[in-house]
Amino acid sequence: MRILLEGRPGAGKSTVARRLADRLREDGIPVTGFVTEEIRESGRRLGFSIERLDGERGVLAHVEFPGPPRVGRYGIDLATFERLAIPALEQAGEHHVVIIDELGKMELASEAFREAVSALLDRPVLVVATVQSASHPFTDVLKRRHDIETLRVATANRDELPELLAALLRSAR
């Protein structure tokens, strides 16, 4: 089972991913992967952090990072991102659920990450990934794969999705 959680910015994709990881851990299901979070100061977004589900954290993007690459006003720290994200995908065993938050422009700026995601999807591992609604060559291909289901995340369904997804993943194991 491979599920893409698609939605607009602010729809709650990261919240669903974080709550799903917590719910699966409560059930004793091994989880790996990462979540992202805004870095805010005085109400102003300055960047984004990445946190592996084992707790290791780093800064993915920040207005003060020079880049390249750059996405909007943010410079991306590909070295930190790859150091945290790629091992989290590679360590997944067949009993793990892998949660990826997110397959967005910043993360997909890394060719090594795109390759790690492709390799992961060729393995017998359960995967839930958040993805932007906007078109991107990499995610457009994923959305067309026959073995991937895409679910829309919106404010109307984001609170019930973690439990629904946890039940689906429990039954798929």
Side-chain angles (χ1 to χ4, degrees):
M1 177 177 292
R2 290 146 167 81
I3 299 171
L4 295 180
L5 300 175
E6 180 183 43
R8 299 184 52 74
K13 300 180 303 289
S14 294
T15 300
V16 170
R18 193 171 286 106
R19 288 180 182 166
L20 175 60
D22 291 344
R23 184 69 184 97
L24 293 172
R25 280 195 207 109
E26 288 170 11
D27 291 344
I29 296 172
V31 181
T32 188
F34 64 90
V35 292
T36 58
E37 189 172 271
E38 292 181 347
I39 299 170
R40 289 191 167 268
E41 187 176 294
S42 302
R44 188 169 161 250
R45 186 170 65 196
L46 298 178
F48 296 88
S49 65
I50 173 175
E51 181 178 356
R52 282 182 22 165
L53 295 176
D54 66 8
E56 192 174 352
R57 294 180 64 97
V59 177
L60 164 64
H62 201 277
V63 293
E64 294 179 359
F65 290 175
R70 293 192 69 79
V71 173
R73 59 192 195 109
Y74 306 102
I76 314 302
D77 184 344
L78 287 182
T80 295
F81 174 68
E82 291 170 352
R83 178 181 58 80
L84 293 170
I86 293 172
L89 305 185
E90 293 174 342
Q91 75 184 20
E94 64 181 87
H95 299 293
H96 282 88
V97 174
V98 182
I99 296 178
I100 302 170
D101 175 45
E102 111 177 76
L103 299 174
K105 286 181 187 175
M106 292 180 188
E107 297 84 0
L108 296 175
S110 166
E111 182 177 349
F113 176 68
R114 293 191 311 269
E115 290 171 1
V117 169
S118 294
L120 177 71
L121 293 172
D122 289 337
R123 296 172 40 212
V125 179
L126 302 174
V127 178
V128 176
T130 65
V131 63
Q132 61 192 7
S133 294
S135 181
H136 184 282
F138 185 81
T139 57
D140 290 349
V141 168
L142 294 183
K143 291 174 187 178
R144 290 191 299 267
R145 281 180 56 152
H146 71 280
D147 62 336
I148 293 179
E149 182 176 350
T150 302
L151 298 175
R152 295 278 308 158
V153 177
T155 53
N157 70 353
R158 68 181 175 203
D159 291 335
E160 64 219 28
L161 275 175
E163 188 57 46
L164 171 73
L165 291 167
L168 285 171
L169 292 163
R170 279 192 302 269
S171 68
R173 291 183 78 230

